[in-house]
Amino acid sequence: MYSNEDYLLELINEHGLITADDVNHYRSIAPLDGSIITALIADYKVTEQQVSQVCAQTSGVDYIDLANAAIAPNILELIPEETVRRYNAVPVAESGGYLVVALADPLNFEALDSLPHVIGREVTPVCATPSAIREAIQSNYGGGNENVEEGLEWGGEEGAEANDAPIIKLVSTMLVEAFKMKASDIHIEPMEKSLRIRYRVDGKLLEVANHPRRLLPAIIARLKVMSGTMKISEKRLPQDGRIQIQVGGRDVDLRVSSVPSNHGESIVMRILDKSGLLLGLPELGFLSDDQDEFKKLLGLPDGIILVTGPTGSGKTTTLYTCLNEINRPDKKIITVEDPVEYEMAGINQVMVKTEIGMTFAAALRAMLRQAPNIIMIGEIRDEETASIAINAALTGHLVFSTLHTNDATSAVARLADIGVKKFLIASAIRAIAAQRLVRKLCSVCKAPANLTENEMRLLNVDVNQMSDSSIYGPAGCPKCRNGGYKGRIGLFELFKIDDEVRHMINDDLSSPQLRKRARELGMRTLREDGIRKVLSGMTSASEVIGTTMSDNA
């Protein structure tokens, strides 16, 4: 709550609100990560208002009764929501060109130093009580109690006790807030003296809250109860679970992972919004010519289509979008996944359970006896799985899967490394698509921009290309929380296996040779696809440069 608690205790003592004996007593009984001032307030030795007024007086700032202050909506938009939550700083009004900001702790120098840089203007701090700050954030930025009660539902609330209510509301607020910010992950990380909450939004981690570390056991227990399968008493071993909730009438799955760390259990929750399955090829980032090529591939009767890229590059979303495009009553589609991330109507989905012998290979063998038309394998990890997938493709099935490689042509060498013969690779694979994700420029605030000489050199763009382009850069507005970006799109490298390429694979060409020849045959690289999206104003040069390898590397 307070960044300089010892100093504040001295000040409160000097003002005659508490005695030195009070301080010594509460210091002796407080937990290592506990706040002595919070304990004094809880026992009515001093009030929040008195502490805040002492803070204000000694800091030379005004005290504000924030609970009774009316804040205009246009003022609230002047600070991004994640910044408000990170620093517990609420914009109140404008005065003389300065933005008046209420802080729970006017001695929080990190906030005072950072806010002017974040919002691009100077601030005038005022002091408010921590509870008033919390209530103002909840009521003005969403995630308040009423929103949580109306917006979030899950199937296990009956067993909650009255004493658990504050933790229930805290966890519910966190889940709803993360969903509204379109976060992909929630990270709950115990530090030495605090509990850090971070959301991953558009691929970037944002710190949104710091809580006392003493809340960790209760928060983790709550999440384990919601999962229904994780053991509350087990704190020494990693655990996995799943939480199913509804936010505003929308079904949301959370994949929960707990890992013991040196300061307690760390929790990561991956948010799986089922509305993401409604994406089409344009929403993924395919431009019109690539869409046409990819749709032709989806119409093939057999063969393997691979999607490659590192973890977090959107491979699973692409696979699900492909299945959604071809999911029709006349097609039987079966998937084998570890785990099943989204449940799709009309598709038979099988989850891998290695502890009982249900491996990818075992599931695949069983699936082929189910007479499917289309098979999706979450990932090809070993020779056995690859061999079964190739046999399925060669016997009339269309197979989709993923592989971890840096580019499309390297997938051939990767399959050979795990033991698949080159002639089988050449015969079975129809196409390999490598992909990466880059942030999209905010459609509201993106501003016209020019490429620097260094960016032009790195992207291999000349002046003539720029003359007919629509290049934009990030600016910042309330919609994108002053970040300049909102959402992500894919960059794609589509490597089609035709007869000439099959001969090259059978001739055992190396990956660099194969890549060179593929480019001569018209394959567009990840960076080249990114250049098109920079020139069309969809993303920025820095995003593409930072995400893709140079084509000359």
Side-chain angles (χ1 to χ4, degrees):
M1 182 188 296
Y2 302 102
S3 59
N4 297 273
E5 184 160 87
D6 289 337
Y7 177 56
L8 282 176
L9 285 170
E10 290 182 18
L11 294 175
I12 299 168
N13 183 19
E14 288 176 5
H15 280 74
L17 299 174
I18 57 174
T19 67
D21 289 340
D22 290 328
V23 175
N24 293 332
H25 172 67
Y26 280 88
R27 183 171 278 130
S28 67
I29 64 172
L32 290 176
D33 58 347
S35 166
I36 297 171
I37 293 178
T38 301
L40 288 163
I41 291 171
D43 285 352
Y44 303 102
K45 295 291 185 180
V46 67
T47 67
E48 260 196 329
Q49 289 79 8
Q50 288 173 324
V51 174
S52 293
Q53 286 166 357
V54 169
C55 285
Q57 182 179 341
T58 56
S59 303
V61 303
D62 292 332
Y63 169 78
I64 183 174
D65 182 4
L66 192 59
N68 295 315
I71 308 173
N74 64 305
I75 297 296
L76 293 168
E77 293 176 352
L78 295 176
I79 301 183
E81 182 178 341
E82 63 266 23
T83 303
V84 168
R85 296 185 183 278
R86 177 176 181 178
Y87 295 116
N88 285 322
V90 178
V92 176
E94 291 181 293
S95 177
Y98 285 70
L99 182 62
V100 180
V101 178
L103 296 168
D105 182 3
L107 299 175
N108 185 344
F109 299 116
E110 181 187 2
L112 294 174
D113 288 341
S114 300
L115 283 172
H117 298 290
V118 173
I119 65 177
R121 63 190 297 182
E122 294 299 321
V123 302
T124 297
V126 294
C127 187
T129 64
S131 60
I133 291 282
R134 287 194 299 270
E135 290 169 7
I137 292 174
Q138 287 180 342
S139 60
N140 290 302
Y141 290 91
N145 294 348
E146 19 349 319
N147 291 338
V148 173
E149 297 294 336
E150 295 173 6
L152 185 144
E153 301 173 17
W154 75 287
E157 199 69 53
E158 298 89 343
E161 299 180 3
N163 290 338
D164 297 329
I167 292 298
I168 290 173
K169 290 176 180 176
L170 175 63
V171 171
S172 297
T173 298
M174 176 174 60
L175 300 182
V176 172
E177 178 187 72
F179 179 80
K180 287 182 176 178
M181 290 176 66
K182 299 187 182 300
S184 60
D185 305 286
I186 302 171
H187 295 251
I188 302 173
E189 302 164 318
M191 304 289 108
E192 185 179 0
K193 295 184 178 179
S194 64
L195 178 62
R196 181 171 67 177
I197 309 295
R198 295 195 289 176
Y199 302 156
R200 190 182 298 278
V201 180
D202 294 338
K204 304 293 183 182
L205 278 172
L206 304 174
E207 185 175 332
V208 295
N210 257 296
H211 298 302
R213 203 172 77 86
R214 65 175 181 275
L215 297 181
L216 176 65
I219 290 174
I220 288 180
R222 171 63 177 168
L223 292 170
K224 287 181 176 179
V225 167
M226 291 178 73
S227 78
T229 57
M230 301 173 75
K231 297 179 181 178
I232 297 176
S233 59
E234 181 56 78
K235 302 177 182 179
R236 301 166 300 169
L237 296 174
Q239 295 189 72
D240 294 312
R242 193 164 194 154
I243 297 173
Q244 294 181 315
I245 59 175
Q246 277 198 336
V247 181
R250 293 166 65 177
D251 292 329
V252 180
D253 284 354
L254 297 117
R255 207 168 75 195
V256 187
S257 170
S258 72
V259 174
S261 70
N262 55 336
H263 295 302
E265 286 183 276
S266 174
I267 294 273
V268 174
M269 291 179 283
R270 185 172 185 188
I271 301 173
L272 306 172
D273 178 10
K274 294 183 180 180
S275 64
L277 294 179
L278 302 178
L279 292 175
L281 295 178
E283 288 77 18
L284 288 180
F286 282 100
L287 297 179
S288 56
D289 53 347
D290 285 337
Q291 287 179 48
D292 294 339
E293 292 293 336
F294 213 74
K295 284 182 178 179
K296 290 178 184 176
L297 293 171
L298 297 182
L300 292 174
D302 55 34
I304 296 177
I305 298 174
L306 287 176
V307 181
T308 75
T311 301
S313 59
K315 300 187 298 296
T316 302
T317 301
T318 298
L319 286 183
Y320 276 118
T321 300
C322 292
L323 295 184
N324 197 46
E325 286 271 337
I326 57 180
N327 185 12
R328 297 191 302 271
D330 62 331
K331 300 287 185 183
K332 183 176 180 68
I333 303 174
I334 304 182
T335 74
V336 53
E337 306 170 60
D338 183 19
V340 173
E341 294 197 3
Y342 297 97
E343 295 181 5
M344 299 184 70
I347 293 179
N348 301 275
Q349 295 173 272
V350 178
M351 186 165 70
V352 168
K353 295 181 180 179
T354 54
E355 65 274 12
I356 61 171
M358 180 65 110
T359 61
F360 272 108
L364 271 172
R365 282 193 291 267
M367 284 164 55
L368 292 174
R369 293 194 290 271
Q370 296 281 310
N373 302 105
I374 298 161
I375 296 170
M376 192 268 272
I377 307 167
E379 182 184 348
I380 292 178
R381 301 179 179 180
D382 51 46
E383 181 185 1
E384 187 178 14
T385 304
S387 297
I388 297 172
I390 285 174
N391 287 333
L394 294 175
T395 53
H397 303 85
L398 183 59
V399 181
F400 294 89
S401 191
T402 69
L403 204 62
H404 286 277
T405 62
N406 287 329
D407 56 51
T409 51
S410 296
V412 174
R414 172 67 183 140
L415 288 171
D417 287 342
I418 63 176
V420 182
K421 292 180 172 58
K422 287 285 183 76
F423 77 90
L424 290 175
I425 297 172
S427 301
I429 295 180
R430 298 291 178 263
I432 305 167
Q435 73 176 70
R436 297 290 188 279
L437 293 178
V438 293
R439 292 182 294 172
K440 287 194 298 184
L441 288 166
C442 175
S443 59
V444 173
C445 66
K446 65 180 183 180
N450 290 313
L451 299 182
T452 66
E453 290 186 9
N454 188 48
E455 288 172 338
M456 291 176 64
R457 179 180 59 80
L458 290 171
L459 295 176
N460 196 24
V461 173
D462 59 37
V463 176
N464 293 330
Q465 288 175 281
M466 292 177 61
S467 62
D468 297 325
S469 64
S470 302
I471 300 173
Y472 289 86
C477 69
K479 183 179 179 182
C480 62
R481 299 180 178 87
N482 277 357
Y485 298 91
K486 191 168 180 63
R488 290 191 289 178
I489 55 171
L491 305 182
F492 298 95
E493 178 177 285
L494 188 57
F495 179 36
K496 293 180 292 182
I497 312 296
D498 58 15
D499 287 339
E500 182 170 352
V501 174
R502 289 190 186 95
H503 287 306
M504 290 190 292
I505 293 173
N506 283 324
D507 290 342
D508 205 22
L509 266 67
S510 66
S511 289
Q513 291 173 318
L514 197 60
R515 184 172 183 80
K516 181 181 178 181
R517 185 59 184 144
R519 293 189 66 189
E520 291 171 354
L521 293 172
M523 184 186 78
R524 188 182 298 114
T525 66
L526 287 164
R527 177 158 287 193
E528 288 168 344
D529 190 41
I531 291 168
R532 294 202 302 168
K533 287 163 184 172
V534 170
L535 296 177
S536 60
M538 299 170 71
T539 187
S540 67
S542 60
E543 279 289 297
V544 172
I545 292 169
T547 305
T548 62
M549 296 185 299
S550 169
D551 297 325
N552 299 319

